[in-house]
Amino acid sequence: MLRGLEERVKKVIHGRADVIIGKRGLTESVLKEVDERLRVKEIVKVKVLKTALQVTGMDRKALAEHVARSLDAVLLDVRGRTFVLYKPKRSRSMSKA
C-alpha cells in the first residue's frame, strides 16, 4: 500500500495544481474546495499566488502548514509556492459506526 501511495504522490507532484489560492487569499471557499478535493482524491496539489501571500501576511510554508492544520491533513511537500497535502479516506467500517 505504501508503494502505491508513493507513486500517486510522485504523479501529483509532477502534475498540475488541483487548487490555486488566488488574490483574495485563503478564503473559506478555498478551504472547502481543498477539503472536497482531499475527500475525493486523498492527495492534492495547491499553488499559491504571490498576491495571496501578501494578502494573508504569511510566508509560503506557514500558509501550507495552516491549510494542513485547518483540514486535518498531512503536509507532504512544499516547493516554492506549491504544496502537496494528503488526507486518507475514511474506511467504510469507520463511516458506518
Side-chain angles (χ1 to χ4, degrees), residues 67-78:
V67 172
R69 208 173 24 255
S70 297
L71 300 177
D72 197 28
V74 177
L75 180 60
L76 296 178
D77 191 30
V78 179

Side-chain angles (χ1 to χ4, degrees), residues 7 21 24 43 47 51 54 57 60 66 70 91 95:
E7 291 298 319
I21 301 176
R24 290 188 175 179
I43 305 168
K47 182 173 184 163
T51 53
Q54 293 168 349
R60 60 193 175 84
H66 177 73
S70 297
S91 66
S95 61

Side-chain angles (χ1 to χ4, degrees), residues 19-27 29-31 34 46-57 63 81 83:
V19 179
I20 297 174
I21 301 176
K23 61 185 175 184
R24 290 188 175 179
L26 190 59
T27 62
S29 61
V30 170
L31 281 174
V34 174
V46 181
K47 182 173 184 163
V48 182
L49 299 183
K50 287 179 187 177
T51 53
L53 294 175
Q54 293 168 349
V55 168
T56 61
L63 181 65
R81 293 186 322 270
F83 60 93

